[in-house]
Amino acid sequence: SQTIHQWPATLVQPVGSPLSLECTVEGTSNPNLYWYRQAAGRGLQLLFYSVGIGQISSEVPQNLSASRPQDRQFILSSKKLLLSDSGFYLCAWVPDSFGNTIYFGEGSWLTVV
Amino acid sequence: AQSVTQLGSHVSVSEGALVLLRCNYSSSVPPYLFWYVQYPNQGLQLLLKYTSAATLVKGINGFEAEFKKSETSFHLTKPSAHMSDAAEYFCAVSKGSGNTGKLIFGQGTTLQVKP
């Protein structure tokens, strides 16, 4: 079966510290992968998406970056966190370029203090 | 450009009453439309989707939604609310096949179910 794993589930980081959130998908190949962020009391916003290894598109300018070192691995990073980076981060995937449903991971709660 | 507006950030109903969550969209191309539910501290779960087939879409947990192009609406309904339906609900739109993962979300509606 196809599943998505995301970790860590919760983390508290000081301002200025680095960040690494990891997402992996199982049971599929060449998926489209996405990172979304949900800030407190707000809807979800697409941050990055990837259609293949090494291919990253950024939707909004920000303090974060993304990488796709392997087909089924998607990483969200920051060199120095800001308070405004706090939020709920969701990894998601679509089976292929013509799939019509996106599936979300369980999410990672990030609190920057 | 695409956008989604969910009317009402909070909706409260009694158990057994009709649930109606409103969603209006704006899209320059035929849209795909989705409703997702989010329970506390969890990810998003797909309730139902419209992808240019039948305009009345049935989803999980007894929910359904009707695509009305003339009204640019995709309201979510359920005939009888259960306590377990209490959650946050998101309406979302994409540009259709090939862009499904690039969703524009509404701000969300929190559904409260009173006993």
Side-chain angles (χ1 to χ4, degrees), chain B residues 24-107:
Chain B
N24 288 89
Y25 71 92
S26 172
S27 179
S28 57
V29 298
Y32 283 8
L33 292 159
F34 305 81
W35 275 101
Y36 284 88
V37 61
Q38 184 180 34
Y39 297 101
N41 299 317
Q42 294 186 25
L44 274 70
Q45 181 181 8
L46 179 67
L47 279 176
L48 48 81
K49 62 184 179 184
Y50 167 77
T51 56
S52 72
T55 57
L56 181 62
V57 181
K58 295 186 182 297
I60 63 172
N61 301 339
F63 285 95
E64 63 180 38
E66 186 173 7
F67 172 69
K68 292 186 176 180
K69 184 178 179 180
S70 61
E71 299 178 8
T72 61
S73 68
F74 191 56
H75 302 331
L76 181 71
T77 61
K78 182 175 180 177
S80 176
H82 294 173
M83 296 297 292
S84 60
D85 293 328
E88 189 157 19
Y89 292 79
F90 291 96
C91 182
V93 63
S94 77
K95 290 184 179 180
S97 180
N99 291 285
T100 307
K102 298 173 69 176
L103 295 173
I104 305 296
F105 281 88
Q107 291 296 89

Side-chain angles (χ1 to χ4, degrees), chain A residues 32 34 36 38 41-46 49 59 88 90 94 97-107 109, chain B residues 32 34 36 38 41-46 49 51 88 90 96-108:
Chain A
N32 288 352
Y34 306 81
Y36 280 83
Q38 183 180 24
R42 302 179 64 180
L44 286 85
Q45 182 182 38
L46 177 62
Y49 71 94
E59 289 293 298
F88 190 47
L90 288 158
V94 174
S97 296
F98 299 98
N100 62 14
T101 302
I102 184 171
Y103 299 94
F104 289 86
E106 290 300 310
W109 277 107
Chain B
Y32 283 8
F34 305 81
Y36 284 88
Q38 184 180 34
N41 299 317
Q42 294 186 25
L44 274 70
Q45 181 181 8
L46 179 67
K49 62 184 179 184
T51 56
E88 189 157 19
F90 291 96
S97 180
N99 291 285
T100 307
K102 298 173 69 176
L103 295 173
I104 305 296
F105 281 88
Q107 291 296 89

Side-chain angles (χ1 to χ4, degrees), chain A residues 17-80:
Chain A
S17 65
L19 170 73
S20 181
L21 299 179
E22 189 164 345
C23 171
T24 59
V25 182
E26 296 179 359
T28 187
S29 61
N30 197 33
N32 288 352
L33 297 172
Y34 306 81
W35 278 110
Y36 280 83
R37 177 171 61 197
Q38 183 180 24
R42 302 179 64 180
L44 286 85
Q45 182 182 38
L46 177 62
L47 301 178
F48 300 96
Y49 71 94
S50 171
V51 299
I53 296 174
Q55 301 179 61
I56 307 295
S57 296
S58 174
E59 289 293 298
V60 294
Q62 58 207 306
N63 183 43
L64 303 168
S65 62
S67 62
R68 186 166 177 178
Q70 300 180 42
D71 181 44
R72 290 172 288 176
Q73 183 183 31
F74 203 26
I75 298 172
L76 184 69
S77 304
S78 174
K79 293 182 178 179
K80 291 184 178 182

Side-chain angles (χ1 to χ4, degrees), chain B residues 5-24:
Chain B
T5 301
Q6 290 183 240
L7 301 177
S9 59
H10 289 83
V11 170
S12 182
V13 300
S14 298
E15 190 174 19
L18 171 71
V19 176
L20 171 61
L21 304 182
R22 300 178 186 273
C23 173
N24 288 89

